[in-house]
Amino acid sequence: MTAYRHSPRPEHRSFVVDVAFGHLVSFGGWMNSYEAEVTELLTAWARDGDDDPGVLAQVLRVLDETDCEEPDALGLRYATHPDARVRARVPTLLRSRATPPAPPDAAVRAALLVLAGDDDRAVRTSAGRVMGAEHDGGAAFTNVVARLLRDPEVQVRAGVAEAAAAGDDRSPELADALAALLDDHDFDTRLSAAYGLLRRGDPRTGDAIGRLGQPPHPAYEHDHRLSALFRWEGC
């Protein structure tokens, strides 16, 4: 892999990232003797950068699957990268690895707030998902997540709603933002909104279930959100 890592051809470098990802996901636990080497390779690659934004975005995506010791620093380095594919990979690097999630520091908080206002919908979605899942207890995150729940792009609303519904923000503002999605034309967005209200013990839960409609695809049969709503309705 090391030889191709420095190939002048982006497709060769992209192949290296794919192989690295294969090593991470194909072997689990004690069987994966390459995990440390792959993490070291990808960390050094992220530090050095890559001339091809597509390859760099791949590197950051796979790096997020490792136990890299400096994800925040690497994420912050690329928070203002000119290519949206790279910026879209930053928020997940900035998320907390602690259980329960630790509040973000000032630099991470500032970067997420900027990324949440990005012109690119994938960047906004990625930032909003992290902010919705890891509420920092402040009004700034609540206001931004609520704004993203009103985003004109369905991809943004759906992605952020799913994360916010499962998150810990119990503010009335966020509950109202979720309730406002009950008439959204996208089923998945309505499902997340209803599930979020249920988790918050909101009195609008029954109405949310009544307005949900039928799942558009059989795959929803095993969706944990839908199962939770059915259990609530049957009580």
Side-chain angles (χ1 to χ4, degrees), residues 53-80:
V55 175
L56 180 56
Q58 274 187 280
V59 170
L60 298 181
R61 175 181 63 84
V62 179
L63 182 65
D64 190 50
E65 302 291 335
T66 72
D67 291 326
C68 170
E69 296 181 356
E70 50 184 294
D72 284 6
L74 292 172
L76 290 171
R77 174 176 180 176
Y78 293 109
T80 58

PDB file of all heavy atoms in Angstrom, residues 53-80:
ATOM      1  N   PRO A  53      -8.969  16.446  -4.068  1.00  0.00           N
ATOM      2  CA  PRO A  53      -9.968  16.562  -3.000  1.00  0.00           C
ATOM      3  C   PRO A  53     -10.807  15.308  -2.811  1.00  0.00           C
ATOM      4  O   PRO A  53     -11.200  14.982  -1.683  1.00  0.00           O
ATOM      5  CB  PRO A  53     -10.843  17.735  -3.458  1.00  0.00           C
ATOM      6  CG  PRO A  53      -9.990  18.513  -4.396  1.00  0.00           C
ATOM      7  CD  PRO A  53      -9.131  17.499  -5.081  1.00  0.00           C
ATOM      8  N   GLY A  54     -11.072  14.592  -3.897  1.00  0.00           N
ATOM      9  CA  GLY A  54     -11.847  13.371  -3.778  1.00  0.00           C
ATOM     10  C   GLY A  54     -11.120  12.318  -2.968  1.00  0.00           C
ATOM     11  O   GLY A  54     -11.712  11.629  -2.130  1.00  0.00           O
ATOM     12  N   VAL A  55      -9.836  12.186  -3.216  1.00  0.00           N
ATOM     13  CA  VAL A  55      -9.029  11.228  -2.454  1.00  0.00           C
ATOM     14  C   VAL A  55      -8.929  11.663  -1.002  1.00  0.00           C
ATOM     15  O   VAL A  55      -9.056  10.851  -0.077  1.00  0.00           O
ATOM     16  CB  VAL A  55      -7.621  11.076  -3.074  1.00  0.00           C
ATOM     17  CG1 VAL A  55      -6.739  10.181  -2.208  1.00  0.00           C
ATOM     18  CG2 VAL A  55      -7.713  10.517  -4.490  1.00  0.00           C
ATOM     19  N   LEU A  56      -8.713  12.953  -0.783  1.00  0.00           N
ATOM     20  CA  LEU A  56      -8.624  13.461   0.584  1.00  0.00           C
ATOM     21  C   LEU A  56      -9.923  13.201   1.354  1.00  0.00           C
ATOM     22  O   LEU A  56      -9.891  12.806   2.526  1.00  0.00           O
ATOM     23  CB  LEU A  56      -8.308  14.952   0.573  1.00  0.00           C
ATOM     24  CG  LEU A  56      -8.190  15.629   1.935  1.00  0.00           C
ATOM     25  CD1 LEU A  56      -7.147  14.957   2.813  1.00  0.00           C
ATOM     26  CD2 LEU A  56      -7.869  17.117   1.761  1.00  0.00           C
ATOM     27  N   ALA A  57     -11.057  13.406   0.700  1.00  0.00           N
ATOM     28  CA  ALA A  57     -12.342  13.123   1.352  1.00  0.00           C
ATOM     29  C   ALA A  57     -12.448  11.651   1.710  1.00  0.00           C
ATOM     30  O   ALA A  57     -12.954  11.296   2.781  1.00  0.00           O
ATOM     31  CB  ALA A  57     -13.488  13.535   0.432  1.00  0.00           C
ATOM     32  N   GLN A  58     -11.957  10.783   0.838  1.00  0.00           N
ATOM     33  CA  GLN A  58     -11.932   9.345   1.139  1.00  0.00           C
ATOM     34  C   GLN A  58     -11.081   9.057   2.367  1.00  0.00           C
ATOM     35  O   GLN A  58     -11.461   8.263   3.231  1.00  0.00           O
ATOM     36  CB  GLN A  58     -11.352   8.572  -0.046  1.00  0.00           C
ATOM     37  CG  GLN A  58     -12.313   8.193  -1.132  1.00  0.00           C
ATOM     38  CD  GLN A  58     -11.613   7.285  -2.136  1.00  0.00           C
ATOM     39  OE1 GLN A  58     -10.876   7.761  -3.006  1.00  0.00           O
ATOM     40  NE2 GLN A  58     -11.820   6.000  -2.009  1.00  0.00           N
ATOM     41  N   VAL A  59      -9.916   9.672   2.417  1.00  0.00           N
ATOM     42  CA  VAL A  59      -9.002   9.462   3.544  1.00  0.00           C
ATOM     43  C   VAL A  59      -9.682   9.846   4.855  1.00  0.00           C
ATOM     44  O   VAL A  59      -9.645   9.096   5.840  1.00  0.00           O
ATOM     45  CB  VAL A  59      -7.703  10.270   3.352  1.00  0.00           C
ATOM     46  CG1 VAL A  59      -6.859  10.241   4.632  1.00  0.00           C
ATOM     47  CG2 VAL A  59      -6.896   9.727   2.178  1.00  0.00           C
ATOM     48  N   LEU A  60     -10.335  11.004   4.872  1.00  0.00           N
ATOM     49  CA  LEU A  60     -10.991  11.462   6.099  1.00  0.00           C
ATOM     50  C   LEU A  60     -12.162  10.553   6.468  1.00  0.00           C
ATOM     51  O   LEU A  60     -12.416  10.306   7.649  1.00  0.00           O
ATOM     52  CB  LEU A  60     -11.464  12.900   5.932  1.00  0.00           C
ATOM     53  CG  LEU A  60     -10.374  13.944   5.686  1.00  0.00           C
ATOM     54  CD1 LEU A  60     -10.981  15.337   5.567  1.00  0.00           C
ATOM     55  CD2 LEU A  60      -9.310  13.915   6.778  1.00  0.00           C
ATOM     56  N   ARG A  61     -12.874  10.055   5.453  1.00  0.00           N
ATOM     57  CA  ARG A  61     -13.998   9.157   5.727  1.00  0.00           C
ATOM     58  C   ARG A  61     -13.525   7.879   6.399  1.00  0.00           C
ATOM     59  O   ARG A  61     -14.102   7.431   7.398  1.00  0.00           O
ATOM     60  CB  ARG A  61     -14.740   8.813   4.433  1.00  0.00           C
ATOM     61  CG  ARG A  61     -15.853   7.771   4.620  1.00  0.00           C
ATOM     62  CD  ARG A  61     -16.541   7.457   3.311  1.00  0.00           C
ATOM     63  NE  ARG A  61     -15.651   6.857   2.343  1.00  0.00           N
ATOM     64  CZ  ARG A  61     -15.365   5.553   2.303  1.00  0.00           C
ATOM     65  NH1 ARG A  61     -15.867   4.725   3.192  1.00  0.00           N
ATOM     66  NH2 ARG A  61     -14.551   5.084   1.375  1.00  0.00           N
ATOM     67  N   VAL A  62     -12.474   7.287   5.872  1.00  0.00           N
ATOM     68  CA  VAL A  62     -11.977   6.033   6.432  1.00  0.00           C
ATOM     69  C   VAL A  62     -11.256   6.286   7.753  1.00  0.00           C
ATOM     70  O   VAL A  62     -11.341   5.476   8.677  1.00  0.00           O
ATOM     71  CB  VAL A  62     -11.062   5.315   5.418  1.00  0.00           C
ATOM     72  CG1 VAL A  62     -10.522   4.021   6.006  1.00  0.00           C
ATOM     73  CG2 VAL A  62     -11.827   5.023   4.132  1.00  0.00           C
ATOM     74  N   LEU A  63     -10.578   7.419   7.864  1.00  0.00           N
ATOM     75  CA  LEU A  63      -9.901   7.756   9.117  1.00  0.00           C
ATOM     76  C   LEU A  63     -10.893   7.796  10.272  1.00  0.00           C
ATOM     77  O   LEU A  63     -10.570   7.422  11.407  1.00  0.00           O
ATOM     78  CB  LEU A  63      -9.189   9.105   8.980  1.00  0.00           C
ATOM     79  CG  LEU A  63      -8.387   9.574  10.186  1.00  0.00           C
ATOM     80  CD1 LEU A  63      -7.206   8.645  10.447  1.00  0.00           C
ATOM     81  CD2 LEU A  63      -7.885  10.994   9.977  1.00  0.00           C
ATOM     82  N   ASP A  64     -12.110   8.220   9.981  1.00  0.00           N
ATOM     83  CA  ASP A  64     -13.135   8.299  11.020  1.00  0.00           C
ATOM     84  C   ASP A  64     -13.503   6.919  11.563  1.00  0.00           C
ATOM     85  O   ASP A  64     -14.090   6.817  12.644  1.00  0.00           O
ATOM     86  CB  ASP A  64     -14.376   8.994  10.455  1.00  0.00           C
ATOM     87  CG  ASP A  64     -15.390   9.320  11.523  1.00  0.00           C
ATOM     88  OD1 ASP A  64     -15.012   9.915  12.544  1.00  0.00           O
ATOM     89  OD2 ASP A  64     -16.569   8.969  11.349  1.00  0.00           O
ATOM     90  N   GLU A  65     -13.166   5.859  10.829  1.00  0.00           N
ATOM     91  CA  GLU A  65     -13.453   4.495  11.273  1.00  0.00           C
ATOM     92  C   GLU A  65     -12.336   3.929  12.153  1.00  0.00           C
ATOM     93  O   GLU A  65     -12.448   2.804  12.642  1.00  0.00           O
ATOM     94  CB  GLU A  65     -13.627   3.569  10.060  1.00  0.00           C
ATOM     95  CG  GLU A  65     -14.717   3.992   9.089  1.00  0.00           C
ATOM     96  CD  GLU A  65     -16.108   3.829   9.674  1.00  0.00           C
ATOM     97  OE1 GLU A  65     -16.272   2.991  10.583  1.00  0.00           O
ATOM     98  OE2 GLU A  65     -17.017   4.555   9.228  1.00  0.00           O
ATOM     99  N   THR A  66     -11.279   4.691  12.360  1.00  0.00           N
ATOM    100  CA  THR A  66     -10.130   4.202  13.114  1.00  0.00           C
ATOM    101  C   THR A  66     -10.114   4.804  14.517  1.00  0.00           C
ATOM    102  O   THR A  66     -10.961   5.622  14.879  1.00  0.00           O
ATOM    103  CB  THR A  66      -8.817   4.577  12.405  1.00  0.00           C
ATOM    104  OG1 THR A  66      -8.595   5.994  12.533  1.00  0.00           O
ATOM    105  CG2 THR A  66      -8.855   4.202  10.925  1.00  0.00           C
ATOM    106  N   ASP A  67      -9.129   4.410  15.286  1.00  0.00           N
ATOM    107  CA  ASP A  67      -8.914   4.976  16.626  1.00  0.00           C
ATOM    108  C   ASP A  67      -7.855   6.070  16.578  1.00  0.00           C
ATOM    109  O   ASP A  67      -7.001   6.178  17.461  1.00  0.00           O
ATOM    110  CB  ASP A  67      -8.490   3.877  17.603  1.00  0.00           C
ATOM    111  CG  ASP A  67      -9.614   2.901  17.894  1.00  0.00           C
ATOM    112  OD1 ASP A  67     -10.784   3.350  17.910  1.00  0.00           O
ATOM    113  OD2 ASP A  67      -9.335   1.702  18.088  1.00  0.00           O
ATOM    114  N   CYS A  68      -7.920   6.883  15.553  1.00  0.00           N
ATOM    115  CA  CYS A  68      -6.993   8.008  15.415  1.00  0.00           C
ATOM    116  C   CYS A  68      -7.000   8.849  16.688  1.00  0.00           C
ATOM    117  O   CYS A  68      -8.062   9.138  17.247  1.00  0.00           O
ATOM    118  CB  CYS A  68      -7.402   8.847  14.214  1.00  0.00           C
ATOM    119  SG  CYS A  68      -6.548  10.413  14.065  1.00  0.00           S
ATOM    120  N   GLU A  69      -5.816   9.248  17.144  1.00  0.00           N
ATOM    121  CA  GLU A  69      -5.704   9.980  18.406  1.00  0.00           C
ATOM    122  C   GLU A  69      -5.884  11.483  18.258  1.00  0.00           C
ATOM    123  O   GLU A  69      -5.925  12.197  19.253  1.00  0.00           O
ATOM    124  CB  GLU A  69      -4.336   9.687  19.043  1.00  0.00           C
ATOM    125  CG  GLU A  69      -4.162   8.222  19.443  1.00  0.00           C
ATOM    126  CD  GLU A  69      -2.819   7.964  20.103  1.00  0.00           C
ATOM    127  OE1 GLU A  69      -2.013   8.926  20.170  1.00  0.00           O
ATOM    128  OE2 GLU A  69      -2.574   6.833  20.545  1.00  0.00           O
ATOM    129  N   GLU A  70      -5.985  11.978  17.042  1.00  0.00           N
ATOM    130  CA  GLU A  70      -6.099  13.426  16.850  1.00  0.00           C
ATOM    131  C   GLU A  70      -7.203  13.800  15.870  1.00  0.00           C
ATOM    132  O   GLU A  70      -6.992  14.647  14.984  1.00  0.00           O
ATOM    133  CB  GLU A  70      -4.760  13.984  16.361  1.00  0.00           C
ATOM    134  CG  GLU A  70      -4.175  13.218  15.165  1.00  0.00           C
ATOM    135  CD  GLU A  70      -2.797  13.732  14.772  1.00  0.00           C
ATOM    136  OE1 GLU A  70      -2.704  14.887  14.322  1.00  0.00           O
ATOM    137  OE2 GLU A  70      -1.833  12.976  14.928  1.00  0.00           O
ATOM    138  N   PRO A  71      -8.406  13.217  15.999  1.00  0.00           N
ATOM    139  CA  PRO A  71      -9.458  13.535  15.020  1.00  0.00           C
ATOM    140  C   PRO A  71      -9.873  14.998  15.037  1.00  0.00           C
ATOM    141  O   PRO A  71     -10.139  15.579  13.978  1.00  0.00           O
ATOM    142  CB  PRO A  71     -10.611  12.612  15.436  1.00  0.00           C
ATOM    143  CG  PRO A  71     -10.368  12.327  16.883  1.00  0.00           C
ATOM    144  CD  PRO A  71      -8.879  12.276  17.024  1.00  0.00           C
ATOM    145  N   ASP A  72      -9.931  15.618  16.229  1.00  0.00           N
ATOM    146  CA  ASP A  72     -10.332  17.024  16.299  1.00  0.00           C
ATOM    147  C   ASP A  72      -9.361  17.917  15.536  1.00  0.00           C
ATOM    148  O   ASP A  72      -9.775  18.780  14.755  1.00  0.00           O
ATOM    149  CB  ASP A  72     -10.397  17.490  17.756  1.00  0.00           C
ATOM    150  CG  ASP A  72     -11.628  16.975  18.474  1.00  0.00           C
ATOM    151  OD1 ASP A  72     -12.365  16.173  17.868  1.00  0.00           O
ATOM    152  OD2 ASP A  72     -11.840  17.356  19.631  1.00  0.00           O
ATOM    153  N   ALA A  73      -8.076  17.713  15.779  1.00  0.00           N
ATOM    154  CA  ALA A  73      -7.072  18.556  15.134  1.00  0.00           C
ATOM    155  C   ALA A  73      -7.120  18.406  13.617  1.00  0.00           C
ATOM    156  O   ALA A  73      -7.031  19.399  12.880  1.00  0.00           O
ATOM    157  CB  ALA A  73      -5.678  18.204  15.659  1.00  0.00           C
ATOM    158  N   LEU A  74      -7.282  17.175  13.144  1.00  0.00           N
ATOM    159  CA  LEU A  74      -7.332  16.959  11.701  1.00  0.00           C
ATOM    160  C   LEU A  74      -8.625  17.510  11.120  1.00  0.00           C
ATOM    161  O   LEU A  74      -8.634  18.072  10.022  1.00  0.00           O
ATOM    162  CB  LEU A  74      -7.191  15.460  11.400  1.00  0.00           C
ATOM    163  CG  LEU A  74      -5.809  14.881  11.726  1.00  0.00           C
ATOM    164  CD1 LEU A  74      -5.817  13.358  11.589  1.00  0.00           C
ATOM    165  CD2 LEU A  74      -4.746  15.482  10.810  1.00  0.00           C
ATOM    166  N   GLY A  75      -9.723  17.345  11.851  1.00  0.00           N
ATOM    167  CA  GLY A  75     -10.981  17.899  11.376  1.00  0.00           C
ATOM    168  C   GLY A  75     -10.922  19.413  11.267  1.00  0.00           C
ATOM    169  O   GLY A  75     -11.323  19.996  10.256  1.00  0.00           O
ATOM    170  N   LEU A  76     -10.394  20.065  12.289  1.00  0.00           N
ATOM    171  CA  LEU A  76     -10.307  21.525  12.270  1.00  0.00           C
ATOM    172  C   LEU A  76      -9.410  22.015  11.139  1.00  0.00           C
ATOM    173  O   LEU A  76      -9.650  23.091  10.567  1.00  0.00           O
ATOM    174  CB  LEU A  76      -9.785  22.031  13.617  1.00  0.00           C
ATOM    175  CG  LEU A  76     -10.750  21.876  14.796  1.00  0.00           C
ATOM    176  CD1 LEU A  76     -10.043  22.197  16.103  1.00  0.00           C
ATOM    177  CD2 LEU A  76     -11.971  22.770  14.613  1.00  0.00           C
ATOM    178  N   ARG A  77      -8.410  21.233  10.813  1.00  0.00           N
ATOM    179  CA  ARG A  77      -7.499  21.632   9.741  1.00  0.00           C
ATOM    180  C   ARG A  77      -8.235  21.782   8.409  1.00  0.00           C
ATOM    181  O   ARG A  77      -7.884  22.643   7.589  1.00  0.00           O
ATOM    182  CB  ARG A  77      -6.385  20.587   9.612  1.00  0.00           C
ATOM    183  CG  ARG A  77      -5.459  20.840   8.437  1.00  0.00           C
ATOM    184  CD  ARG A  77      -4.335  19.845   8.402  1.00  0.00           C
ATOM    185  NE  ARG A  77      -3.460  20.101   7.275  1.00  0.00           N
ATOM    186  CZ  ARG A  77      -2.338  19.441   7.030  1.00  0.00           C
ATOM    187  NH1 ARG A  77      -1.947  18.485   7.844  1.00  0.00           N
ATOM    188  NH2 ARG A  77      -1.597  19.729   5.987  1.00  0.00           N
ATOM    189  N   TYR A  78      -9.265  20.950   8.207  1.00  0.00           N
ATOM    190  CA  TYR A  78      -9.950  20.942   6.916  1.00  0.00           C
ATOM    191  C   TYR A  78     -11.334  21.578   6.955  1.00  0.00           C
ATOM    192  O   TYR A  78     -12.094  21.490   5.990  1.00  0.00           O
ATOM    193  CB  TYR A  78     -10.052  19.499   6.400  1.00  0.00           C
ATOM    194  CG  TYR A  78      -8.708  18.911   6.065  1.00  0.00           C
ATOM    195  CD1 TYR A  78      -8.145  17.906   6.857  1.00  0.00           C
ATOM    196  CD2 TYR A  78      -7.974  19.377   4.979  1.00  0.00           C
ATOM    197  CE1 TYR A  78      -6.903  17.376   6.559  1.00  0.00           C
ATOM    198  CE2 TYR A  78      -6.725  18.858   4.673  1.00  0.00           C
ATOM    199  CZ  TYR A  78      -6.190  17.856   5.465  1.00  0.00           C
ATOM    200  OH  TYR A  78      -4.959  17.334   5.165  1.00  0.00           O
ATOM    201  N   ALA A  79     -11.660  22.246   8.055  1.00  0.00           N
ATOM    202  CA  ALA A  79     -12.995  22.827   8.199  1.00  0.00           C
ATOM    203  C   ALA A  79     -13.287  23.915   7.169  1.00  0.00           C
ATOM    204  O   ALA A  79     -14.453  24.182   6.851  1.00  0.00           O
ATOM    205  CB  ALA A  79     -13.168  23.387   9.602  1.00  0.00           C
ATOM    206  N   THR A  80     -12.248  24.542   6.648  1.00  0.00           N
ATOM    207  CA  THR A  80     -12.442  25.599   5.648  1.00  0.00           C
ATOM    208  C   THR A  80     -11.885  25.196   4.282  1.00  0.00           C
ATOM    209  O   THR A  80     -11.586  26.058   3.449  1.00  0.00           O
ATOM    210  CB  THR A  80     -11.781  26.905   6.115  1.00  0.00           C
ATOM    211  OG1 THR A  80     -10.385  26.672   6.346  1.00  0.00           O
ATOM    212  CG2 THR A  80     -12.431  27.416   7.397  1.00  0.00           C
TER     213      THR A  80
END
